[in-house]
Amino acid sequence: PTPVIIVGGIHGGYEWNSILLAYGLLDHFEANPNLLPPGVTLHILPNANPDGLARVTGGKTGRFTPADIQGDTTNGRFNSNDVDLNRNWDCQWQPTAQWRDRQVSGGAFPFSEAENVHLRDFLLGLDPAVVVFLHSAANGVFAAGCPDTHQPSMELATIYGRAAGYPIYETFSAYPITGDAGDWLATQGIATFTVELRNHQDLDWN
């Protein structure tokens, strides 16, 4: 079978709607397996940063509801080591990375964080046809690449973006990104793109 992988919540509780969307997709396809094309195995990882989710839910790391979200979610972006897990992959990695107008930790070295070691090994072990990361809230579909756009990723991002009605971008250019998971996967020859939901609350289900 052809593996297709969807990963939510690498930014944990800060982007909690990406986790809820992944759970929604999991429930939807478990209830309607006939919607999957023959020969495709869909793997859905709802939350790649359980520490970050726990920070904003009072300790919940699994299923939750929007009512469980408590206060300012900014610190929910990071794991318990205060590392931004999407700055900890071995693509143009830097120990001090950028998020918007602030500096964040990219970890002591690439893949210093246990979550990313396990996720990396899981993804490589499946050798997927595509990996889709769910984020919020830049409203668009962004192809992976390190440093140049990975054309297989761009082709699939374009197909998805047109079907879903999102703007399509060759790269994320609002500020410099280092140590990104999708960009690293592109260096391994795995097509990858990121779906950025329109805001931090809605699931963009349709």
Side-chain angles (χ1 to χ4, degrees):
T2 302
V4 172
I5 303 175
I6 298 173
V7 181
I10 199 167
H11 284 145
Y14 180 68
E15 297 181 359
W16 55 265
N17 58 335
S18 72
I19 301 172
L20 287 184
L21 175 58
Y23 274 121
L25 291 167
L26 182 63
D27 293 342
H28 177 69
F29 286 108
E30 284 186 335
N32 302 280
N34 58 300
L35 296 178
L36 291 175
V40 168
T41 300
L42 180 62
H43 302 262
I44 301 176
L45 287 72
N47 183 11
N49 184 355
D51 291 345
L53 180 62
R55 284 182 163 189
V56 305
T57 59
K60 290 186 177 181
T61 58
R63 290 186 182 259
F64 65 99
T65 70
D68 294 315
I69 304 301
Q70 304 170 4
D72 183 1
T73 61
T74 301
N75 284 338
R77 182 181 175 95
F78 312 103
N79 73 353
S80 61
N81 295 329
D82 292 322
V83 172
D84 186 325
L85 292 178
N86 207 36
R87 301 293 185 271
N88 183 239
W89 296 65
D90 197 10
C91 164
Q92 300 180 313
W93 174 85
Q94 296 291 329
T96 301
Q98 188 170 344
W99 170 44
R100 295 182 176 177
D101 58 352
R102 63 181 280 186
Q103 293 184 332
V104 296
S105 173
F109 51 86
F111 301 114
S112 63
E113 306 308 296
E115 300 95 329
N116 287 344
V117 171
H118 291 297
L119 182 56
R120 175 198 65 194
D121 293 349
F122 175 77
L123 297 176
L124 292 181
L126 287 174
D127 190 23
V130 61
V131 177
V132 181
F133 285 93
L134 303 177
H135 286 253
S136 62
N139 185 32
V141 178
F142 297 83
C146 183
D148 298 323
T149 301
H150 182 239
Q151 287 309 307
S153 297
M154 186 65 201
E155 291 172 9
L156 292 178
T158 299
I159 292 169
Y160 185 93
R162 288 175 177 169
Y166 284 106
I168 303 161
Y169 301 96
E170 290 191 7
T171 186
F172 184 86
S173 59
Y175 48 86
I177 300 293
T178 56
D180 179 85
D183 290 341
W184 181 81
L185 286 171
T187 70
Q188 306 302 300
I190 296 173
T192 309
F193 61 88
T194 294
V195 178
E196 288 272 358
L197 306 182
R198 291 177 173 86
N199 58 51
H200 284 305
Q201 293 81 39
D202 296 325
L203 303 189
D204 293 4
W205 181 261
N206 290 338

